[in-house]
Amino acid sequence: MRKVAEGVYRVPARAANTYLVEASKGLVLVDSGLPGSENGILKAIAKLGKEPSDLKLVLLTHRHLDHIGSAAALKKQTGAKLASHPFEKPYAAGTLVISAPRAWSLYGRMVRKLTTLEYWSLKLFRIIKFQTTHVDLAADEESVLDGVGLDGSVVWTPGHTKGSVTLFLNQPSVAIVGDLLRARRGRLVEPLLMESISQTEASVKRVLDLDPEIICPGHGKPLPASKVKIEKRIVKPVVVAKKKEEEEDLEELTSGLF
Ligand SMILES: [Zn+2]
């Protein structure tokens, strides 16, 4: 566990970061790691001198397994309420199955091919026993943060997924962004996989407009907002890459027919 700012702690969980935030009425956890992360998170809560029951809210930034994986276990063991954007709720409930967002770069496409979330949902779900759960609260309701006495806002920041959200804290000025940005070589760059590139860019701008001092990504270390380096050139190749990929998908589909 590492202190990021006053009352904000980074707790690395299985495959992704989680963040503990001290609010006036208890603790808030942002994201939950892959299944099996709950014990490490509970240990971090104990290190802060708190009880499991002090965890009042788990905010899930988006639907991916490395962010929602331990939500069910934490809800059970702490009694915390779960919150996400309404778009992400059916994925936590298991009603909808996660599919891989599109990748914009060659590297991203390779990653997508090798470790697509479709693959995860089909294979890994069975291996690591993902527990589905009911998300109690819609993260975009103002009452969600008021209920725990947290001075901040939940900002809808789609792009990586349709229902991705960012937790923005006013004091200290911190944005916890899920997979909207990832830390790489001392910079905060765009995610490898994005459902929408234009939405990702707009969401990054929205976060920067809030003028946070520190940005906390789902993967990698928190960094000052000045370290955000989004590739402007990604806009053009993406259209080509998308078309190409769709063609490839079509080819794959039709190859079995003839
Ligand atoms: Zn993700």
Side-chain angles (χ1 to χ4, degrees), residues 6-7 9 34 67 82 96 103 129 151-152 159 191 193 225 245:
E6 205 50 49
Y9 304 87
L34 278 179
H67 298 259
L82 305 182
L96 291 175
K129 294 194 179 86
D151 179 20
L193 308 175
E245 203 172 329

Side-chain angles (χ1 to χ4, degrees), residues 146-164:
D146 288 348
V148 289
L150 194 60
D151 179 20
S153 48
V154 178
V155 187
W156 184 31
T157 47
H160 179 60
T161 69
K162 198 176 169 188
S164 288

Side-chain angles (χ1 to χ4, degrees), residues 116-144:
T116 61
L117 296 159
E118 274 161 336
Y119 175 85
W120 279 34
S121 59
L122 291 173
K123 309 270 180 175
L124 208 62
F125 265 41
R126 281 177 212 157
I127 298 165
I128 59 176
K129 294 194 179 86
F130 170 59
Q131 271 182 287
T132 57
T133 187
H134 173 71
V135 175
D136 310 279
L137 306 166
D140 49 350
E141 299 284 336
E142 267 180 37
S143 56
V144 169

Side-chain angles (χ1 to χ4, degrees), residues 6-20:
E6 205 50 49
V8 184
Y9 304 87
R10 174 185 175 222
V11 183
R14 295 183 65 188
N17 289 325
T18 70
Y19 293 92
L20 273 172

